[in-house]
Amino acid sequence: MTGHDIGQAAIPLPEVISELVASLPETHLAAWTRALRTITTPDDQAESRLIAAHPGAGLGPRAALLLSAWRSTDPQLPGPALALALEAAICRYEQDLASHHVDIVVSGPLSGTVPLRLTASAAVEVIRSATRTLLLTSYAAFGIQEIVEEITEAADRGVSVNLVLETARSAGGRLHGETDGRIAFHALRFHPDVHLWQWANAERRGSSGRRGSMHAKVIAADRSTVLLGSANLTDNAYNDNLEVGAVIRDPIAVGKLVDHFTTLMHSESSLLVRLPWVPSQGNGVDESDGRT
């Protein structure tokens, strides 16, 4: 054991490699992979050779950490193999960075100096990117013929579409008036891959006793890309209102969001339930409460 190992708890080599890849500049990492190909074992000269490969402030402790983890994990591991592991970690890290991307989108007036994407074009792009599943949620929905056409094309190519909508007060929801988003999507009512959902009327009371609204605005393609923002699925929100949102490309985060809604749809307490395409007649309230 060298002086660098004294009093230092052994950290697994994969963990050290991961930390170095996330913190060291690309040029340093490239120099270290080249140097490791010339190092046979983690001996006393290996640390000096790593530092000399690309001198820089604060590299000594990092080189010592790598050598310590190498010795404690597998001192028989040859330097070229460690270089290959380091390169693989760099490649994976770069792929993760590429997939974790955010674009800001807006509706309404543009500043003229800050380049931002429009909500409508971003929504179309997200819908078109779906290959397996498409989740859309909105408080209000009307008009948006272009979005309806894009959803139709997605469903026609085999994408499973779930629409979660707020309903009118006459159907037990929170929207004013007698109609809700079912009118906007009426053309899709016979498509076998398009499904309507609502927040069950019986499950809407919060801790304060007040009834909640289905207020989320989401367009999620597969488990990789999502448009989140303030805009409802309406022509006003996409073209006239001042709205903001973000397109997020992050499979881990988007996967959690999709799983959240999927769990609500299939929970034993039926928090999200199927919404009939046509409101029930009579007292105005959907008698099934969507439980079909």
Side-chain angles (χ1 to χ4, degrees), residues 47-153:
E47 181 180 331
S48 299
R49 294 171 68 179
L50 286 176
I51 296 173
H54 197 302
L59 284 184
R62 294 175 183 266
L65 182 63
L66 177 61
L67 269 294
S68 176
W70 186 359
R71 295 186 192 99
S72 62
T73 302
D74 187 358
Q76 302 304 316
L77 183 72
L82 182 55
L84 184 61
L86 186 59
E87 285 184 324
I90 293 170
C91 182
R92 179 64 192 207
Y93 181 74
E94 291 175 345
Q95 290 175 348
D96 287 344
L97 282 181
S99 66
H100 291 59
H101 185 67
V102 177
D103 283 328
I104 301 301
V105 300
V106 298
S107 299
L110 298 176
S111 64
T113 57
V114 180
L116 295 173
R117 298 191 59 197
L118 295 176
T119 303
S121 63
V124 168
E125 180 182 292
V126 172
I127 295 171
R128 287 180 178 177
S129 71
T131 60
R132 297 179 302 279
T133 62
L134 186 61
L135 168 70
L136 299 97
T137 76
S138 188
Y139 176 71
F142 52 83
I144 53 157
Q145 186 58 38
E146 183 181 18
I147 299 300
V148 174
E149 291 173 357
E150 293 294 338
I151 295 172
T152 303
E153 291 182 10

Side-chain angles (χ1 to χ4, degrees), residues 2-5 7-21 23-24 32 42 46-47 50-51 58-73 82:
T2 69
H4 291 300
D5 297 319
Q8 183 176 358
I11 303 177
L13 184 57
E15 184 176 331
V16 171
I17 291 175
S18 178
E19 190 278 331
L20 291 175
V21 168
S23 60
L24 283 179
W32 276 20
E47 181 180 331
L50 286 176
I51 296 173
L59 284 184
R62 294 175 183 266
L65 182 63
L66 177 61
L67 269 294
S68 176
W70 186 359
R71 295 186 192 99
S72 62
T73 302
L82 182 55

